Amino acid sequence: MRQYLDLKEKHADALLFFRCGDFYEMFFEDAVVAARALDLTLTSRDKGKEDAVPMCGVPYHAARGYLARLTEQGFKVAVCEQMEDPKLAKGLVKREIVRVITPGVVLDDEILDPKLPRYLAALVPAGKRGNPAVGLAYLDATTGELCATEIQVSSVLDELVRVGPREVLAEAAQLEGMLAPVRARYKMPWNPAVVPALEAAEAELGTLLGGSGPQRGAARSGDLDPAERPLAVRAAATVLAYARATQPGGTLPVTRLIGYESGDAVVLDETAIANLELTETLIGKKREGALLDVIDQTVTAPGGRRLRRWLLYPLIDVAQIRRRQDAVGWLVQRPALLEQVRRTLSRVADLERLAGKATLGVATPRDLGRLRDALGMLPEVMALVKTGATKLEPVPGLLDPAPPPSAGSLPSGLAACGDAALPALAVRLGKSLVDEPPFLVKDGGVIRAGWDAQVDECRRLADGGKDEILAIEAREQRESGIANLKVRYNRVFGYYLEITKSNLAKVPAHYVRKQTIANGERYVTPELAELERKVVTAEETLAAREAELFKAEVAAVAEVAAKVSAAGAALAVVDVCGSLAEVAARRGYCRPVVDDGLAIEIVDGRHPVIEAILPEGTFVPNDCRLDPGAEQLVLITGPNMAGKSTYMRQVAQIALLAQIGSFVPAKAATIGVCDRVFTRVGAADNLSRGDSTFMVEMRETAAILAHATRRSLVILDEVGRGTSTFDGVSIAWAVAEHLHDHVTARTLFATHYHELVALADSRPRVRNVSVAVREHKGEIVFLRRVVPGGANKSYGIDVARLAGLPTKVIGRAREIMSRLEGGSALGTSAQLSLGAVASPQLPLGGIAAQPSPVIAKLSAIDINRMTPLEALTLLAELKSLV
Ligand code: ADP
Ligand code: MG
């Protein structure tokens, strides 16, 4: 217990998995917590005694599953192993913490999702009061990817949602203070950043950054200047130091700190990422049904991770976007090559993570075997791309208006795969490791014959020993004339000769009798004893030697791990372009024209996800034109279920796809790049947010009005829906006006308040469109077609009938409706006489254009300075005006 308590003290914030033989045991509070979290039976040590210690355990061989469950629940686990064989240990078995598994630092393939990065993040706010800057860094310890930036505190939540770290570090005071609201909404484990050796990590970062001050090496794009971005660098040092502490025995595979600015990519906030269903669906948070799921046809894990990154960080630099388009287009034009490239890539293992595991020292023999085989495939991939560059395949009906693209960055991007260190490593691993190495070094049979003389010798001995036993058996049978003499083995006295009762008379004198059994006797000879010693030690020596040699192979990989990882990254880009090309070809996407203009023009656009779900050919395509000069704000009216939301989302998704370099689901498209994409879905439509309130809706709308620029794309879906009709119409109206008059962002504005169509009368850059429906024999038919002009009717009752509201209720609703429209208010409530107020005869646009004299009069008075008599006089005056 002393040993346990010592170790536990060093890792007080973690559950301690304490290895005892075939189990990991937990004690005290850890046992109580783990038993609850893992559904284990809680027992106790020294049962029955008064101070019995609660304990529970998990079998060693099943530990991974339990570790996964604990990290998923946000726990940190310190794994303590026995550092010597208990059989050989003198006194207490030596134990050490070999690694700490935290939600953000997980290295086990069985826990990791191959297509998801596993980030640990740290936040470092500026110390000074009133400074809204925050340093953010995140590290994927499996690959060594380390990124850092500085952002406004108001953007922290958005960026966290986009990055998706599984664990966030920050100083305790910040967690209680300025970061508390973010922490409340970003539901991942937050841990205080008490990190040892922060200075050491910062010093090391200096070298990753290419030195500092005058020694600073040539700046590459993405290099951070520590003098300019001290918070980002400090955050990076924090994740590094924290991650390092979890791996006492290994080196983190970090070779570079990549800095970025929020302006490098399209700004997407939490709401936009969620509403546009980029990586998961709004309802249910499922990957299936999200945009990423449709476009992700990658065949490798690094490709999947890279595509995700591309989608969440769409580009705004036109030249960069076109380079990607070129690569995708080039592959689209070479379907046979594309297929070959994809087939080849699908057999290449995850070089980024394998290189990371080697650096961390946790690579298994099987890992190195896969790494070697993957390296062996590199020349094939490079050759494919190279030959493709000289051959053009004619593709009938190709939807690509641009001239035949060059291979873009594809061949040059593959340069990293051509590093001479890689084939050298492949050759070495080919010679040192067997074709199919086992999962564990312990299993033996790792090192290939011919690589090491001692291994070969030991194997011969161990093996030859067994042969020799057969030889001895045969010889003894012959010499003694005992035909059924057997050489056998048991644990107590090793190899022995067994002779049955009827043959005892023939036993040679030099046999030493060891044991009498029911039907005979057992003997040993000096020769057998010597052989046994050799065999046993040979196996042990072999195991030790194989382990030693394997370690050297891991080190050899670690030495060039950065190059291996770079090759993996290069293949990832090919895989991503291949995936986009595959989707483009399979689904008939076109190459959009992306430029620095402000127009968005889409011909026959489709919603990439809904199109994929519906039976082929049934999705109705629609055009879209947005242009701050003419059609800046497109107001979409139409009944519920007509297709308004679908239409707006498809425009935003097409714009984002275009900006990641993808082809888009349309016949033709021009996308003037967007700097930000905003979405706001009316409270009632936003089902996913349980706490949906009008307040949230308005806060998000306020954010759009505050941050949208002329270059932004704004999607407003049923704004104002979360309140009463009058409030709702008024707010929607005012927001639309403001977007038109002041923000001038390209805006799609859907509303079922068809009163808003009048806005176009007073605002030149507002266009009305509606999603067409037809009434057929009293039934409503959705045509899904976006047509010019506003809707003149909301069809709410028709939709209600479709939804199955009883005929009686529908009938009554129609009755009330017609009375409302006729202007005869039910009861006295003015609010209910909706039809009269909102009818085109009393356009709200008119009110806004020329304020009524009554209102002018009213706004001029100051009630506090009026006598009752003056008030009465005014009232009379107003009455006469009305
Ligand atoms: P609204 O926002 O007007 O209430 P939605 O956009 O939610 O309507 O669309 C309702 C349903 O109609 C969608 O779930 C989709 O299945 C279908 N839909 C929408 N647009 C189309 C289209 N262009 N082609 C085919 N089906 C469509
Ligand atoms: Mg809708």
Side-chain angles (χ1 to χ4, degrees), residues 553-589:
E553 294 314 282
V554 174
V557 174
E559 207 157 291
V560 291
K563 290 175 173 181
V564 174
S565 177
L571 293 186
V573 172
V574 177
D575 190 17
V576 170
C577 292
S579 170
L580 295 178
E582 175 73 17
V583 176
R586 204 186 288 175
R587 301 202 177 277
Y589 287 10

Side-chain angles (χ1 to χ4, degrees), residues 712-732:
S712 303
L713 175 62
V714 178
I715 305 287
L716 291 169
D717 197 350
E718 310 275 12
V719 164
R721 200 173 181 173
T723 183
S724 76
T725 305
F726 274 5
D727 280 0
V729 175
S730 316
I731 290 169

Side-chain angles (χ1 to χ4, degrees), residues 469-635:
I469 285 161
L470 291 177
I472 291 173
E473 193 176 71
R475 191 192 68 215
E476 292 296 320
Q477 283 172 356
R478 207 170 50 241
E479 288 181 359
S480 64
I482 306 172
N484 65 354
L485 175 149
K486 286 269 176 295
V487 176
R488 295 187 194 276
Y489 176 85
N490 75 19
R491 279 170 168 271
V492 185
F493 38 85
Y495 292 105
Y496 58 85
L497 298 154
E498 192 167 295
I499 294 170
T500 51
K501 264 184 190 159
S502 54
N503 289 311
L504 289 179
K506 294 189 203 164
V507 170
H510 67 278
Y511 285 16
V512 182
R513 197 167 59 86
K514 273 278 174 185
Q515 192 182 26
T516 304
I517 50 167
N519 62 339
E521 301 275 354
R522 290 173 174 175
Y523 302 88
V524 294
T525 66
E527 185 191 25
L528 278 178
E530 171 60 16
L531 179 66
E532 192 202 335
R533 198 193 56 78
K534 269 173 41 190
V535 167
V536 169
T537 51
E539 274 170 358
E540 259 173 28
T541 318
L542 176 63
R545 182 68 182 152
E546 282 210 283
E548 183 185 336
L549 288 168
F550 177 69
K551 223 172 162 185
E553 294 314 282
V554 174
V557 174
E559 207 157 291
V560 291
K563 290 175 173 181
V564 174
S565 177
L571 293 186
V573 172
V574 177
D575 190 17
V576 170
C577 292
S579 170
L580 295 178
E582 175 73 17
V583 176
R586 204 186 288 175
R587 301 202 177 277
Y589 287 10
C590 76
R591 175 177 175 151
V593 175
V594 177
D595 60 26
D596 276 323
L598 285 166
I600 288 180
E601 196 164 0
I602 298 167
V603 181
D604 277 354
R606 286 120 47 201
H607 189 294
V609 178
I610 296 183
E611 167 186 56
I613 294 167
L614 292 180
E616 209 176 316
T618 55
F619 188 89
V620 180
N622 277 303
D623 298 347
C624 175
R625 216 193 127 70
L626 278 169
D627 180 353
E631 285 136 303
Q632 180 221 319
L633 190 149
V634 173
L635 194 81

